[in-house]
PDB file of all heavy atoms in Angstrom:
ATOM      1  N   ASN P1410      23.527  27.697 -24.162  1.00 94.00           N
ATOM      2  CA  ASN P1410      22.468  27.546 -25.191  1.00 94.00           C
ATOM      3  C   ASN P1410      21.065  27.241 -24.581  1.00 94.00           C
ATOM      4  O   ASN P1410      20.511  26.193 -24.819  1.00 94.00           O
ATOM      5  CB  ASN P1410      22.874  26.452 -26.114  1.00 94.00           C
ATOM      6  CG  ASN P1410      21.940  26.339 -27.329  1.00 94.00           C
ATOM      7  OD1 ASN P1410      21.081  27.207 -27.536  1.00 94.00           O
ATOM      8  ND2 ASN P1410      22.076  25.294 -28.132  1.00 94.00           N
ATOM      9  N   PRO P1411      20.502  28.177 -23.805  1.00 95.00           N
ATOM     10  CA  PRO P1411      19.243  27.906 -23.166  1.00 95.00           C
ATOM     11  C   PRO P1411      18.097  27.559 -24.163  1.00 95.00           C
ATOM     12  O   PRO P1411      17.250  26.708 -23.858  1.00 95.00           O
ATOM     13  CB  PRO P1411      18.899  29.135 -22.352  1.00 95.00           C
ATOM     14  CG  PRO P1411      19.793  30.208 -22.868  1.00 95.00           C
ATOM     15  CD  PRO P1411      20.961  29.541 -23.447  1.00 95.00           C
ATOM     16  N   GLN P1412      18.122  28.175 -25.342  1.00 96.00           N
ATOM     17  CA  GLN P1412      17.051  27.954 -26.285  1.00 96.00           C
ATOM     18  C   GLN P1412      17.219  26.562 -26.925  1.00 96.00           C
ATOM     19  O   GLN P1412      16.218  25.909 -27.300  1.00 96.00           O
ATOM     20  CB  GLN P1412      16.976  29.003 -27.376  1.00 96.00           C
ATOM     21  CG  GLN P1412      16.458  30.329 -26.826  1.00 96.00           C
ATOM     22  CD  GLN P1412      15.136  30.275 -26.120  1.00 96.00           C
ATOM     23  OE1 GLN P1412      14.205  29.578 -26.553  1.00 96.00           O
ATOM     24  NE2 GLN P1412      15.011  30.970 -24.961  1.00 96.00           N
ATOM     25  N   GLY P1413      18.427  26.039 -27.027  1.00 95.00           N
ATOM     26  CA  GLY P1413      18.624  24.676 -27.552  1.00 95.00           C
ATOM     27  C   GLY P1413      18.127  23.677 -26.577  1.00 95.00           C
ATOM     28  O   GLY P1413      17.639  22.637 -26.954  1.00 95.00           O
ATOM     29  N   VAL P1414      18.390  23.932 -25.271  1.00 95.00           N
ATOM     30  CA  VAL P1414      18.115  22.931 -24.213  1.00 95.00           C
ATOM     31  C   VAL P1414      16.642  22.900 -23.939  1.00 95.00           C
ATOM     32  O   VAL P1414      16.036  21.845 -23.785  1.00 95.00           O
ATOM     33  CB  VAL P1414      18.901  23.307 -22.986  1.00 95.00           C
ATOM     34  CG1 VAL P1414      18.437  22.398 -21.755  1.00 95.00           C
ATOM     35  CG2 VAL P1414      20.441  23.129 -23.143  1.00 95.00           C
ATOM     36  N   LYS P1415      16.034  24.076 -23.945  1.00 96.00           N
ATOM     37  CA  LYS P1415      14.564  24.193 -23.615  1.00 96.00           C
ATOM     38  C   LYS P1415      13.922  25.228 -24.499  1.00 96.00           C
ATOM     39  O   LYS P1415      13.688  26.374 -24.167  1.00 96.00           O
ATOM     40  CB  LYS P1415      14.489  24.639 -22.097  1.00 96.00           C
ATOM     41  CG  LYS P1415      13.098  24.537 -21.532  1.00 96.00           C
ATOM     42  CD  LYS P1415      13.167  24.851 -20.000  1.00 96.00           C
ATOM     43  CE  LYS P1415      11.786  24.731 -19.383  1.00 96.00           C
ATOM     44  NZ  LYS P1415      11.747  24.986 -17.952  1.00 96.00           N
ATOM     45  N   PRO P1416      13.652  24.775 -25.795  1.00 95.00           N
ATOM     46  CA  PRO P1416      13.177  25.700 -26.797  1.00 95.00           C
ATOM     47  C   PRO P1416      11.941  26.500 -26.332  1.00 95.00           C
ATOM     48  O   PRO P1416      11.061  25.936 -25.802  1.00 95.00           O
ATOM     49  CB  PRO P1416      12.828  24.844 -27.959  1.00 95.00           C
ATOM     50  CG  PRO P1416      13.664  23.598 -27.809  1.00 95.00           C
ATOM     51  CD  PRO P1416      13.761  23.429 -26.279  1.00 95.00           C
ATOM     52  N   GLY P1417      11.974  27.846 -26.570  1.00 92.00           N
ATOM     53  CA  GLY P1417      10.813  28.659 -26.268  1.00 92.00           C
ATOM     54  C   GLY P1417      10.805  29.253 -24.863  1.00 92.00           C
ATOM     55  O   GLY P1417       9.913  30.064 -24.561  1.00 92.00           O
ATOM     56  N   ASN P1418      11.735  28.881 -24.028  1.00 93.00           N
ATOM     57  CA  ASN P1418      11.735  29.462 -22.641  1.00 93.00           C
ATOM     58  C   ASN P1418      12.163  30.903 -22.736  1.00 93.00           C
ATOM     59  O   ASN P1418      12.708  31.391 -23.800  1.00 93.00           O
ATOM     60  CB  ASN P1418      12.612  28.638 -21.722  1.00 93.00           C
ATOM     61  CG  ASN P1418      14.088  29.097 -21.720  1.00 93.00           C
ATOM     62  OD1 ASN P1418      14.442  29.988 -20.969  1.00 93.00           O
ATOM     63  ND2 ASN P1418      14.928  28.461 -22.537  1.00 93.00           N
ATOM     64  N   ASP P1419      12.042  31.658 -21.631  1.00 90.00           N
ATOM     65  CA  ASP P1419      12.202  33.096 -21.654  1.00 90.00           C
ATOM     66  C   ASP P1419      13.615  33.590 -21.463  1.00 90.00           C
ATOM     67  O   ASP P1419      13.827  34.760 -21.322  1.00 90.00           O
ATOM     68  CB  ASP P1419      11.275  33.727 -20.625  1.00 90.00           C
ATOM     69  CG  ASP P1419       9.865  33.782 -21.042  1.00 90.00           C
ATOM     70  OD1 ASP P1419       9.610  33.770 -22.225  1.00 90.00           O
ATOM     71  OD2 ASP P1419       9.005  33.799 -20.147  1.00 90.00           O
ATOM     72  N   MET P1420      14.552  32.703 -21.486  1.00 93.00           N
ATOM     73  CA  MET P1420      15.937  33.161 -21.233  1.00 93.00           C
ATOM     74  C   MET P1420      16.698  33.263 -22.587  1.00 93.00           C
ATOM     75  O   MET P1420      16.885  32.334 -23.356  1.00 93.00           O
ATOM     76  CB  MET P1420      16.707  32.157 -20.362  1.00 93.00           C
ATOM     77  CG  MET P1420      18.176  32.492 -20.205  1.00 93.00           C
ATOM     78  SD  MET P1420      18.829  31.718 -18.696  1.00 93.00           S
ATOM     79  CE  MET P1420      20.602  31.681 -19.135  1.00 93.00           C
ATOM     80  N   ALA P1421      16.971  34.538 -22.895  1.00 90.00           N
ATOM     81  CA  ALA P1421      17.718  34.810 -24.117  1.00 90.00           C
ATOM     82  C   ALA P1421      19.067  35.426 -23.782  1.00 90.00           C
ATOM     83  O   ALA P1421      19.090  36.522 -23.218  1.00 90.00           O
ATOM     84  CB  ALA P1421      16.904  35.757 -25.006  1.00 90.00           C
TER      85      ALA P1421
END
Side-chain angles (χ1 to χ4, degrees):
N1410 187 9
Q1412 290 306 319
V1414 173
K1415 191 173 180 179
N1418 91 85
D1419 283 334
M1420 176 157 158

